[in-house]
């Protein structure tokens, strides 16, 4: 389990504030064949918990197709539980505003997930137990 014992500086709860803690994940090996003709959607699952529910807390997720140079629009969900809960970003028909995705963009080097934890207090502890990505495609 990854633990972030504070949420950066600042006391606003926004996903785009650069003073909040951001975490990058990459190296996903989706195993997509060269014969894939269409990437339909991407879903990100995060299992997250908090040490307390004081104030407002958000988990924010963005995707990159070029090693972190550019990012999709952020998707965010309020985190309201101290126990580990599952949060799903995207859907089975959601391309995150980036289309078309290609197999090259989804390789272990180019594809990245950026997770920002944001809260109205700087002493919030976020706990990330799982971060998974599912790709829907047409062979």
């Amino acid at each position: 389990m990854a633990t972030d014992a504070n949420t950066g500086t600042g006391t606003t709860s926004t996903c785009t504030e650069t003073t909040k803690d951001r975490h990058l994940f990459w190296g996903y090996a989706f195993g997509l064949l060269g014969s894939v003709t269409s990437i339909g959607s991407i879903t990100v699952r995060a299992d997250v918990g908090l040490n307390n529910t004081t104030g407002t807390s958000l988990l924010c997720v963005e995707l990159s197709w070029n090693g972190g140079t550019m990012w999709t629009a952020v998707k965010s969900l309020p985190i309201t539980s101290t126990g580990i809960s599952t949060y799903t970003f995207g859907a089975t028909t959601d391309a995150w505003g980036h289309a078309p995705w290609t197999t090259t963009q989804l390789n272990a080097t180019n594809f990245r997930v950026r997770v920002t934890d944001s809260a109205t207090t700087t002493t919030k502890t976020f706990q990330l137990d799982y971060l998974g990505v599912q790709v829907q495609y047409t062979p």
Side-chain angles (χ1 to χ4, degrees):
M1 178 179 312
T3 301
D4 185 1
N6 64 53
T7 60
T9 59
T11 55
T12 60
S13 184
T14 68
C15 296
T16 56
E17 186 178 335
T18 58
T19 60
K20 297 300 182 182
D21 290 346
R22 290 180 167 173
H23 311 277
L24 297 176
F25 300 90
W26 69 91
Y28 292 90
F30 295 114
L32 298 174
L33 301 174
S35 61
V36 170
T37 59
S38 173
I39 310 294
S41 65
I42 299 174
T43 305
V44 176
R45 174 186 154 188
D47 293 356
V48 178
L50 296 172
N51 65 328
N52 66 67
T53 57
T54 304
T56 301
S57 303
L58 293 175
L59 192 67
C60 313
V61 175
E62 300 161 90
L63 305 179
S64 176
W65 57 92
N66 57 8
T69 302
M70 297 177 71
W71 296 92
T72 62
V74 67
K75 294 186 183 297
S76 66
L77 291 171
I79 307 300
T80 58
S81 174
T82 57
I84 300 293
S85 297
T86 298
Y87 299 88
T88 302
F89 299 84
T92 57
T93 58
D94 188 352
W96 293 66
H98 175 77
W101 287 92
T102 67
T103 55
T104 300
Q105 293 172 342
L106 291 171
N107 69 26
T109 302
N110 288 329
F111 182 79
R112 303 203 177 188
V113 179
R114 179 163 63 189
V115 176
T116 304
D117 49 69
S118 183
T120 54
T121 65
T122 59
T123 58
K124 184 82 62 169
T125 299
F126 282 77
Q127 300 165 325
L128 178 64
D129 191 49
Y130 176 84
L131 185 70
V133 178
Q134 182 175 9
V135 177
Q136 300 285 337
Y137 63 91
T138 303

